[in-house]
Amino acid sequence: TGVAMMKFKSPPVNSLSLEFLTEFSISLEKLENDRACRGVIITSALPKIFSSGLDITEMCGKSVEHYAEFWRAVQEMWLRLYGSNMVTVAAVNGSSPAGGCLVALSCDYRIMAENPKFSIGLNEAQLGIVAPFWFKDTFVNVVGHRIAERSLQLGSLHPAPEAHKLGLVDELVPEEKLMEKAAAVMAQWLALPDHARQLTKTMMRKAVLDRLVAHREEDIKNFITFVSKESIQKSLRMYMEMLKKKKH
Amino acid sequence: TGVAMMKFKSPPVNSLSLEFLTEFSISLEKLENDRACRGVIITSALPKIFSSGLDITEMCGKSVEHYAEFWRAVQEMWLRLYGSNMVTVAAVNGSSPAGGCLVALSCDYRIMAENPKFSIGLNEAQLGIVAPFWFKDTFVNVVGHRIAERSLQLGSLHPAPEAHKLGLVDELVPEEKLMEKAAAVMAQWLALPDHARQLTKTMMRKAVLDRLVAHREEDIKNFITFVSKESIQKSLRMYMEMLKKKKH
Amino acid sequence: TGVAMMKFKSPPVNSLSLEFLTEFSISLEKLENDRACRGVIITSALPKIFSSGLDITEMCGKSVEHYAEFWRAVQEMWLRLYGSNMVTVAAVNGSSPAGGCLVALSCDYRIMAENPKFSIGLNEAQLGIVAPFWFKDTFVNVVGHRIAERSLQLGSLHPAPEAHKLGLVDELVPEEKLMEKAAAVMAQWLALPDHARQLTKTMMRKAVLDRLVAHREEDIKNFITFVSKESIQKSLRMYMEMLKKKKH
């Protein structure tokens, strides 16, 4: 059918580790180069979670070189996904904070399970960290400046119904109909001629993509400086402790 | 009353041919220079159609010189209408695809007959072509980035109620009340002092107008290159065949 | 609690005179430099009016030097408020036209008394004057381009329910619950770590703030040229006469 399915399966919560991101980017590149593939549906193979976002262990107590490699991998994933020529549909079948939300925001269309226990948002501020400018740009392109300003400052995680109301996701469906709906949406988007659709997509997203490309090394340096601060390291360690306690 | 009425009357579907566009621009220029004229209501004298958009016969099997002349005329019309000092109200009394939608988007206010059979949108992608950046800029200024991104990629034609919900048109009224409502809206806008209103309009639209002015020749070249491609010529011929069959 | 309260009290209508603006900026600077202060709630001590906006007497029949000093004070207030590191909540307990609306728009969150007799908006065009570009930028960041374009051209004053529907204010509450609600919202925003929230706020607002900083002297010159015109002086005098008659 020309449609690939990517199912995140990295227990327990599909954290975006360096390894995960690298594999994700390679998979996207392969599909991009496969002329038989015109679209990809991204979802999770794990229950209740789409992706928990960037893997905090990659940002804690590691070397400067590691931070640089990790951040480059985050950038690479986003550049490939947000700039993909394929039709990209996120079937958000669980919670999707921070980097997980970015993955969904970078797709062409977002369908979410209408379970109010599932939430989505760029909640970095809650952890004492700041979403980089290109997370922000992607967010603003979806929900507009005002909603982004408020949501980013509060580090809000929006329950599915609220996320839908804000335009953060395009549609809510019962969880058991999520994949069926994703396939239907994909078919609708693939009904258009690829060339015109791709040029249109590029026209809409180029300014924001170019901005990271132009400032990529600077953005890596900023990340390293920020994450190397003792205060940030402390925040991240506290957050990890909290997550561990939650599990038990 | 200081209000002019422009009624498109080029059967069968008010296609924006080179001749139509030239006459449209000249009429706008005359009104602009007429100090007695402060506003213009744009509507169609034909039933069921506001304007079907750019005349495809102007883009099919013609010379490079013709393409250049045609595209310059499209640009000229938009520069005059979007940048008009007059109050411009679109009374959309029929369907309004592609270039027809651009005409409506370029006005200060859009009222549409609340007939769900009438639709409006920048559906270029459906024809395998791409709306130029200034169509896109005009659209984004009206509906925001996200709605524009989705609608342009899908080449959506939105039935009147949906167009209203998306903010593509400002108001729906029963068809028989359309002109009355347009006159009332015009009166409301003309109640403001011209000078302050005009400076405010310029402030809102200048960035987007300047962008085309700065890239006008390049945009003409892009159009010629694009429309000269055999694949695009084929798409356009197929589309014209389909339109002809529909009529019989 | 780390929260300051600023109550505008300059009868009869909290006009933003040179003196008022200077005191406002000094107060903001003091709070900004007070590490114990993390947030400020801005409201009015007068009934029915939040602030009537810029004091027209400062713009009428004064010297060029006075116009320059006055306009610099307006800029200074906005630069401090829109760029504040503190959480800023506007508790809009009365009408708030023009510059009063700008004060509210520059805060992080706007709560308004749900009284349809109270209205808010950038109504400069009604007076024959034009809101400067940074008023416009601030407005667009809150309500988006389309709503701003229409509202600014019409010089609309939106009754509280309409202002809420347009996103100009975030929330409506009964007047007697306004301060309680403002305190609750403040507590919600202060629950976030200051540093991450401040950096996020800067990321969202920097482009618009920088634009005035870069064009500050030019903007003052423009104001002087505009306000010195006899036609504008006449408009302002007529408006003041009208206000005086209204009072009697």
Side-chain angles (χ1 to χ4, degrees), chain A residues 16 18 21 54 58-59 66-74:
Chain A
L16 303 172
L18 177 54
L21 288 163
L54 303 186
E58 305 279 11
M59 305 191 232
H66 185 85
Y67 293 151
E69 190 185 358
F70 175 63
W71 199 247
R72 193 179 300 278
V74 181

Side-chain angles (χ1 to χ4, degrees), chain B residues 13-60:
Chain B
V13 289
N14 289 330
S15 287
L16 304 172
S17 65
L18 177 55
E19 195 191 338
F20 187 107
L21 288 163
T22 307
E23 208 181 309
F24 189 7
S25 287
I26 291 172
S27 302
L28 282 172
E29 190 183 6
K30 276 186 194 162
L31 294 173
E32 205 78 53
N33 293 333
D34 178 354
R35 296 199 55 175
C37 181
R38 300 175 61 214
V40 56
I41 296 171
I42 298 177
T43 192
S44 165
L46 307 181
K48 297 182 192 168
I49 189 89
F50 179 71
S51 162
S52 65
L54 303 186
D55 186 346
I56 292 173
T57 63
E58 305 279 10
M59 306 192 232
C60 250

Side-chain angles (χ1 to χ4, degrees), chain B residues 161-177:
Chain B
E162 188 178 288
H164 181 237
K165 209 179 144 199
L166 296 175
L168 208 164
V169 297
D170 296 298
E171 214 170 333
L172 298 183
V173 296
E175 195 166 352
E176 66 275 16
K177 303 220 167 158

Side-chain angles (χ1 to χ4, degrees), chain C residues 49-115:
Chain C
I49 190 88
F50 178 71
S51 161
S52 65
L54 303 186
D55 187 345
I56 292 172
T57 63
E58 305 279 12
M59 307 191 232
C60 251
K62 296 286 197 299
S63 69
V64 163
E65 289 71 26
H66 185 85
Y67 294 150
E69 191 184 359
F70 176 63
W71 199 246
R72 194 179 299 278
V74 181
Q75 294 175 332
E76 187 65 26
M77 178 277 289
W78 178 77
L79 289 170
R80 288 200 177 280
L81 184 58
Y82 197 62
S84 174
N85 268 326
M86 299 181 285
V87 173
T88 50
V89 173
V92 184
N93 54 346
S95 284
S96 198
C101 177
L102 180 74
V103 169
L105 288 170
S106 302
C107 290
D108 291 315
Y109 199 85
R110 286 155 290 286
I111 310 163
M112 191 165 178
E114 67 181 355
N115 186 338

Side-chain angles (χ1 to χ4, degrees), chain A residues 82 107-110 140-143 167 170-171 188-189 191-193 195-201 203-205, chain B residues 124-133 136 140 144-150 152-155 226 229 232:
Chain A
Y82 197 62
C107 290
D108 290 315
Y109 198 86
R110 287 156 288 287
V140 168
N141 272 356
V142 173
V143 298
D170 296 297
E171 213 169 332
Q188 184 198 6
W189 284 66
L192 278 285
H195 191 61
R197 187 192 49 69
Q198 288 163 359
L199 288 173
T200 305
K201 183 171 177 176
M203 178 170 66
M204 297 305 298
R205 299 191 168 190
Chain B
E124 282 79 354
Q126 292 272 4
L127 285 66
I129 59 177
V130 182
F133 72 86
K136 180 266 289 179
V140 168
H145 191 278
R146 172 56 188 158
I147 290 173
E149 182 182 86
R150 181 174 157 188
L152 284 172
Q153 281 196 68
L154 290 172
F226 189 76
K229 283 183 188 161
I232 300 301

